[in-house]
Amino acid sequence: MKLCVVGYGAMGRIVCELAKEELAYPVSLECEFKTLEETDKCFDCIIDFSHPSNLDMIVSFAKKYHKPVVFATTGFTEKDRLKIQDLAKSVPVLLSANFSLGVILLNRLVKQITPILKDGYDIEIVEAHHHNKVDSPSGTANMLLSTVMAATEYHPEYGRQGNGIRHPKEVGMHSIRGGSIVGEHEVLYCGLDEVISLKHQAQSKRIFAVGAIKAAHFLINQPVGFYDMEDVLFGKEK
């Protein structure tokens, strides 16, 4: 397998470093190839760790040359997501809010235990990242929220201010920004006299690169369609 990595920022560099033997080349304004069309097209899968502004280029190229795409970029709008879903009608596409294998397992655990605990426990989600992170809450926190909401139909409450009493059918969402925190996510189930905590802490960004490469290995063997990291770990649900 040969990979083309779009984006040569911090994450793009790590992917290139880890995928040395499988790397065809990176595509970025800082590199020899500025666009996908400038390449020799001799690769099997695209890993996008760049910026949403590159989406149209990637979609157009992938459709034209039938290249699978792993989207690891964050900050996509709802309109962008519709474009990605449309691309999945032509080529295999994988999109995930987080490529840490541990986070995907965390999300699976949240999916399993929330229906069991929802009636007797208050649910809170807390995430922490470095002070340069742009989006808040994080994409991963929103993924966990979606999983909780699918099992409960509760509504999110973003932070708290004032003296209002907590509504029993809400999910608290809290964001911390500081220093060089790579990423921490915790889902708290708070009951009477006990608290159950599911927590994941990222120690470095390498875990996201490892997951993206694993996703690419998975994707090149799949038929046309839309996939996520749960499919990589647990198989596509029918």
Side-chain angles (χ1 to χ4, degrees), residues 80-150:
D80 292 335
R81 291 178 178 274
L82 291 175
K83 291 180 181 179
I84 293 171
Q85 290 174 359
D86 181 68
L87 175 61
K89 299 174 183 177
S90 303
V91 300
V93 167
L94 190 148
L95 171 68
S96 180
N98 193 302
F99 281 82
S100 158
L101 304 185
V103 164
I104 303 308
L105 178 58
L106 169 64
N107 191 55
R108 174 57 68 100
L109 292 173
V110 169
K111 183 181 295 185
Q112 290 176 338
I113 74 171
T114 298
I116 300 170
L117 300 178
K118 65 178 183 179
D119 294 327
Y121 294 75
D122 296 324
I123 305 173
E124 301 281 305
I125 297 173
V126 183
E127 58 96 352
H129 286 83
H130 54 87
H131 57 213
N132 289 322
K133 185 169 179 61
V134 177
D135 54 322
S136 176
S138 68
T140 301
N142 284 325
M143 176 181 70
L144 295 168
L145 172 65
S146 295
T147 299
V148 170
M149 290 175 63

Side-chain angles (χ1 to χ4, degrees), residues 11 98-103 106 127-130 140 180-186 199-209:
M11 283 308 310
N98 193 302
F99 281 82
S100 158
L101 304 185
V103 164
L106 169 64
E127 58 96 352
H129 286 83
H130 54 87
T140 301
S180 58
I181 301 171
V182 176
E184 298 179 5
H185 294 88
E186 183 175 19
K199 186 174 183 178
H200 178 272
Q201 291 178 291
Q203 303 299 326
S204 81
K205 294 182 178 180
R206 289 174 65 89
I207 60 174
F208 309 124

